[in-house]
Amino acid sequence: MSVSPLPRFTPRRALGRTGFVATAVGIGDIADRSAPREALVATLRRALDAGLNVIDTAPNYEEGLSEEVVGEALRGRREHVFLIDKVDVLDAPVAPQVEASLKRLGHATVDLFAFHAVSEPSAWEQLAAPGGGLEQLGRCVSAGQARFRGISSHHPDVLRAAVNSGLCDVVMFPLGPFVDLRYVEDVLPLARSRGVGVVSFKTFGAGKLLGDTEGYGRPLEARPRGKVGSGGREDRDAPLLPHLSVEECVRYTLSLDPDVMLMGMSHPNEQDAALGAAHSARPLSMEERADVRERAKAAMEGKGGVWWNPPTAAAAS
């Protein structure tokens, strides 16, 4: 079945001090074992054909499938694409993890290796210590296996320390209608002031802002009182709890102006909605942003934990 062409995206500004001129939207995790591999590769190439030039993957995304799909989709197209991969095990030697990821990708180098989910201050301190993970990753950079270093994190204090350390070229963190506002008001401007690239995720709050899910399509274990669905087809096809639209989430995050906003787009219909919204988005006013945040609070109620905010912080307050 044919699909409609996507809007065209063009590079807009450098990703921090990397000098790479990136599109405003990047391709997030694109692994789904329920879909044929060739379909995943074709979907990723469709996004590349639309001009998107940043791709993110990690070893633990569907146990390496994401890396394999990304590597296959990039064959013959590697030039002019900023490829991000992760180091998943923070307390293990780095070099073997880098080598295993490059083997799954089938490419000799990536643009950025980021330590994945560095969300405890103690974990950051170990990575930044002499002989720690960042020093080890620096040797991989010197060997030509990557060009830049960074972290992804779910903790503003960790991100602030990472940006101030001078050890990270890029930081990756949540930006969307329901995140701890320190990401927005503290980490984002600090990174800009230090020339550190910003790649954001959680635009849709793991899907919770868009539908009735515990996150990434997982069914709710229990609905909030008074919000019990009948279990019929209509219940499955549309959210019954408060929710935001794709357009509202995308417009909100782009209004914050990260260097790159990652979105997961494993299927053409997801691409159509996400990239259509991004292409037509216009900045929200401060009042409109506040309104979206208030409605996001209602859309998150009763949908499980919010792992991308520190446990002690009040989200979106």
Side-chain angles (χ1 to χ4, degrees), residues 221-264:
E221 292 184 7
R223 285 180 174 271
R225 187 173 181 178
K227 298 289 184 181
V228 179
S230 66
R233 177 170 295 277
E234 290 183 0
D235 294 340
R236 293 197 301 272
D237 288 351
L240 299 178
L241 299 175
H243 64 284
L244 301 180
S245 68
V246 170
E247 291 78 9
E248 287 174 314
C249 293
V250 168
R251 193 178 175 197
Y252 180 92
T253 303
L254 288 178
S255 294
L256 300 178
D257 201 28
D259 293 334
V260 179
M261 175 185 67
L262 290 179
M263 292 191 290

Side-chain angles (χ1 to χ4, degrees), residues 20-264:
F20 181 86
V21 182
T23 48
V25 179
I27 306 165
D29 177 25
I30 195 158
D32 183 345
R33 289 195 179 274
S34 68
R37 180 179 175 134
E38 59 270 21
L40 294 173
V41 171
T43 300
L44 200 160
R45 287 179 173 163
R46 183 174 181 246
L48 293 171
D49 289 342
L52 273 64
N53 68 358
V54 178
I55 300 179
D56 172 72
T57 186
N60 72 1
Y61 294 162
E62 293 284 1
E63 300 176 332
L65 175 64
S66 176
E67 290 178 318
E68 293 170 3
V69 167
V70 166
E72 183 175 344
L74 282 178
R75 289 194 184 103
R77 304 184 182 212
R78 179 69 181 86
E79 192 177 6
H80 307 307
V81 174
F82 194 93
L83 175 56
I84 301 171
D85 208 337
K86 311 284 190 1
V87 177
D88 279 342
V89 185
L90 304 182
D91 57 357
V94 171
Q97 297 185 72
V98 165
E99 289 162 6
S101 285
L102 293 175
K103 183 177 180 180
R104 284 187 293 270
L105 285 165
H107 293 275
T109 186
V110 305
D111 294 284
L112 169 72
F113 265 111
F115 287 97
H116 202 174
V118 186
S119 300
E120 296 293 336
S122 59
W124 164 254
E125 290 166 6
Q126 290 176 3
L127 289 174
L134 280 158
E135 183 176 310
Q136 295 175 49
L137 184 54
R139 291 196 285 269
C140 296
V141 171
S142 297
Q145 295 172 308
R147 296 172 60 213
F148 303 106
R149 300 178 295 177
I151 66 167
S152 72
S153 178
H154 305 100
H155 200 305
D157 293 345
V158 169
L159 289 157
R160 186 174 181 83
V163 170
N164 283 328
S165 73
L167 297 172
C168 293
D169 303 297
V170 175
V171 289
M172 307 174 68
F173 58 91
L175 285 178
F178 194 87
V179 302
D180 186 303
L181 281 181
R182 288 180 294 168
Y183 292 125
V184 179
E185 297 174 351
D186 185 8
V187 178
L188 181 59
L190 178 65
R192 285 178 179 148
S193 72
R194 296 297 181 92
V196 176
V198 171
V199 176
S200 75
F201 48 80
K202 292 297 181 292
T203 295
F204 305 123
K208 298 183 186 204
L209 292 172
L210 303 181
D212 297 358
T213 175
E214 289 273 358
Y216 299 124
R218 296 193 302 270
L220 289 173
E221 292 184 7
R223 285 180 174 271
R225 187 173 181 178
K227 298 289 184 181
V228 179
S230 66
R233 177 170 295 277
E234 290 183 0
D235 294 340
R236 293 197 301 272
D237 288 351
L240 299 178
L241 299 175
H243 64 284
L244 301 180
S245 68
V246 170
E247 291 78 9
E248 287 174 314
C249 293
V250 168
R251 193 178 175 197
Y252 180 92
T253 303
L254 288 178
S255 294
L256 300 178
D257 201 28
D259 293 334
V260 179
M261 175 185 67
L262 290 179
M263 292 191 290

